Amino acid sequence: MIKRILTSVSIFLVLFLSLQGAVAKQTAPSFIRDAEIEHTLRGYARPLFKAAGLNSSDVEIYIINSRDLNAFVAGGQRLFMFRGLLERVETPGQLKGVIAHETGHIAGGHLARTHDALANANIKSIVGILLGVVAAAAGGGEAGAAVAIGSQDAATKSFLQYSRTQESSADQAAITYLNRTGQSGRGMAEFLEIIGQGEYQPQSTISSYYRSHPVSSERVSALSQRIAASPYKDVPPAEEDVVALKRMQAKLFGFTRPLPKTLAKYPLSDTSLEARYARAIGYFRYPDLDKALAEIDSLIAEHPTDPYFHELKGQALYENGNIFEALPSLETAVDLAPNEPLLLTFYGTILNATGDPLNSEKAIAILNDSLTFDPNNGMTWDQLAIAYSRTGDTGMLSLASAERSLLEGEYQKAVFHAERAQDFFKVGSPTYLRLEDIITLANRASQKN
């Protein structure tokens, strides 16, 4: 299920909502969180991170809900990809080329000048800076500066602009990583052609990727030579990667466009998997639950072990008011993909939504499982707080509230909830020590701000 983190310059709310419900109210770019899309991007990126000598679990990937065509690495090993880029690429090779290139920036230490300002910054600050960069690069001028000021410093607009030397170095590293993983680098050259199409257009229409990642004839020539010399230059993309890209793009389109546009791009005459997927999303958002379920059930009939089709069915039912009917679909989804934290959190959310304390007891176990894979999900802590409230566990309710507040940058609230929770746990116990850590971290962060 697509979920998002709403972010503004002055408010940071970690809210994992369906994109369907939030897009209509969108006032600023936000994160997109989706189990399937993140799984796809991780699948593309993991071999490249390994080839670069990086621990893939240390590299965080974020998707920004902006139509801008861009990607950045910032704040240490954090890769930010924009929805516009994910929708614009035409092949898995092009997307992998971008990931490999950005991996080259991380491995090459090209962000050393940003580390002091951003390495320990929270995502609120980093995204504020990124949005300022994007707005300024797109001709936003004062608007771009205003966004950046709201997070750190207007001067940071220039942090993410790479030199031509760094770009060429990242290119060469990317080809090395692709060669080490037996993949073609042609997609990289193809992507440069895509972003280069705007070179002679008015400045305000050129993608910010092109501006922040300068392209030179020498860079293109050197890249082309490496690609031509690669023994893997003609290796086609794996079929599963092609399918995954089409599914991701169909999902993004269905969740971010009105139904008429979805039906225009994916007409009823198109019976492909990705077309039915997009239409199912478009229908349930419209809402036309009957048509949505017909499309989803056809997908499940063909792919009964696909967890994301079961997840979508549960989401369609849940968001159209059929809470109890949604539970079996989510239970099946987590049985098929027990290590997907977003699926687990969504299942726990629906269990809580039933209002039944017995279901909230079950949700506690499910949500704690989710935290073992993603301990920094504010929505998971929020749902845990709800579940503990329903079961009358005041101590754990306060702990979960403290963890959530710390993640959201609400440091005074984090201290309040942590100090309250300490009354319920033995001094020196692991939980008590964690509460001490929360208080220390929150006070330290408050002083910096």
Side-chain angles (χ1 to χ4, degrees):
M1 179 178 88
I2 287 187
K3 307 174 183 74
R4 41 185 289 175
I5 302 179
L6 302 176
T7 310
S8 70
V9 295
S10 59
I11 302 175
F12 186 57
L13 302 175
V14 186
L15 299 174
F16 289 74
L17 306 172
S18 75
L19 194 56
Q20 170 263 336
V23 164
K25 302 177 182 178
Q26 179 171 328
T27 58
S30 56
F31 288 140
I32 290 174
R33 300 266 351 237
D34 178 77
E36 179 181 11
I37 294 175
E38 292 182 13
H39 179 82
T40 295
L41 293 178
R42 279 279 170 194
Y44 285 1
R46 192 175 293 108
L48 297 170
F49 293 157
K50 183 177 180 181
L54 303 175
N55 185 339
S56 62
S57 61
D58 291 338
V59 184
E60 302 172 24
I61 300 177
Y62 298 91
I63 307 165
I64 295 180
N65 184 24
S66 166
R67 296 184 68 177
D68 193 76
L69 195 161
N70 215 333
F72 285 112
V73 287
Q77 298 185 38
R78 290 165 170 167
L79 171 57
F80 294 84
M81 309 194 77
F82 288 62
R83 173 170 62 88
L85 183 145
L86 300 180
E87 293 181 329
R88 183 64 181 85
V89 294
E90 299 167 347
T91 66
Q94 292 175 10
L95 183 51
K96 289 182 180 184
V98 172
I99 295 172
H101 177 91
E102 299 303 328
T103 301
H105 282 308
I106 296 175
H110 297 166
L111 295 176
R113 59 182 171 164
T114 74
H115 282 178
D116 288 342
L118 297 182
N120 297 314
N122 61 25
I123 298 303
K124 169 188 175 181
S125 299
I126 293 175
V127 172
I129 291 167
L130 287 174
L131 299 182
V133 169
V134 171
E142 294 180 0
V147 175
I149 288 170
S151 54
Q152 289 279 80
D153 184 343
T156 58
K157 290 184 295 180
S158 64
F159 273 4
L160 303 177
Q161 295 177 350
Y162 304 107
S163 70
R164 292 189 175 188
T165 299
Q166 289 174 331
E167 285 300 279
S168 296
S169 174
D171 284 343
Q172 296 303 308
I175 295 299
T176 297
Y177 306 151
L178 289 165
N179 283 341
R180 288 175 180 172
T181 56
Q183 300 180 91
S184 173
R186 290 191 187 277
M188 286 187 63
E190 293 168 357
F191 182 73
L192 287 182
E193 291 179 6
I194 289 174
I195 64 170
Q197 290 172 359
E199 182 177 5
Y200 302 107
Q201 296 177 4
Q203 289 293 301
S204 62
T205 65
I206 299 176
S207 77
S208 59
Y209 191 95
Y210 187 86
R211 291 167 176 265
S212 58
H213 299 69
V215 179
S216 65
S217 58
E218 292 84 3
R219 176 187 168 192
V220 174
S221 176
L223 180 61
S224 299
Q225 291 177 22
R226 282 291 306 276
I227 293 171
S230 171
Y232 307 105
K233 62 180 182 294
D234 296 321
V235 173
E239 181 60 27
E240 58 265 30
D241 287 343
V242 174
V243 172
L245 179 63
K246 290 180 179 179
R247 286 178 57 153
M248 175 171 64
Q249 291 177 329
K251 197 169 197 179
L252 288 169
F253 198 94
F255 271 108
T256 59
R257 271 70 164 193
L259 179 60
K261 288 192 175 182
T262 299
L263 294 178
K265 183 175 177 63
Y266 298 99
L268 293 175
S269 58
D270 186 347
T271 60
S272 65
L273 181 150
E274 63 270 15
R276 285 178 287 158
Y277 207 11
R279 289 197 299 268
I281 294 165
Y283 282 138
F284 99 71
R285 291 181 57 235
Y286 180 65
D288 189 330
L289 186 58
D290 289 340
K291 288 184 179 179
L293 292 178
E295 297 281 15
I296 298 170
D297 286 341
S298 75
L299 293 169
I300 291 176
E302 293 177 13
H303 306 277
T305 61
D306 190 306
Y308 307 112
F309 293 151
H310 291 281
E311 177 201 23
L312 183 62
K313 184 171 184 177
Q315 181 181 2
L317 290 165
Y318 171 65
E319 295 194 10
N320 281 278
N322 300 294
I323 298 174
F324 286 94
E325 291 88 341
L327 287 175
S329 294
L330 263 297
E331 185 173 7
T332 299
V334 298
D335 284 344
L336 292 169
N339 299 333
E340 287 287 354
L342 291 180
L343 293 184
L344 292 165
T345 294
F346 186 36
Y347 185 29
T349 298
I350 297 178
L351 286 167
N352 273 338
T354 65
D356 185 341
L358 292 178
N359 279 336
S360 287
E361 286 185 7
K362 186 175 182 180
I364 289 171
I366 296 293
L367 294 165
N368 275 306
D369 284 345
S370 178
L371 288 171
T372 62
F373 302 107
D374 183 5
N376 297 320
N377 185 332
M379 180 57 178
T380 309
W381 287 110
D382 186 59
Q383 289 297 320
L384 261 179
I386 292 172
Y388 285 127
S389 176
R390 295 260 175 80
T391 57
D393 192 335
T394 306
M396 291 303 295
L397 162 61
S398 297
L399 169 63
S401 299
E403 294 279 10
R404 179 199 61 209
S405 297
L406 182 65
L407 286 169
E408 295 177 0
E410 297 180 338
Y411 301 121
Q412 290 184 342
K413 287 185 178 180
V415 171
F416 170 80
H417 289 300
E419 289 180 343
R420 183 185 182 196
Q422 285 182 320
D423 294 336
F424 295 88
F425 299 98
K426 183 179 179 181
V427 175
S429 67
T431 303
Y432 191 93
L433 293 176
R434 173 55 190 166
L435 292 166
E436 287 283 301
D437 289 342
I438 292 173
I439 294 169
T440 300
L441 291 169
N443 284 329
R444 190 177 299 162
S446 296
Q447 293 170 4
K448 288 183 179 180
N449 292 343

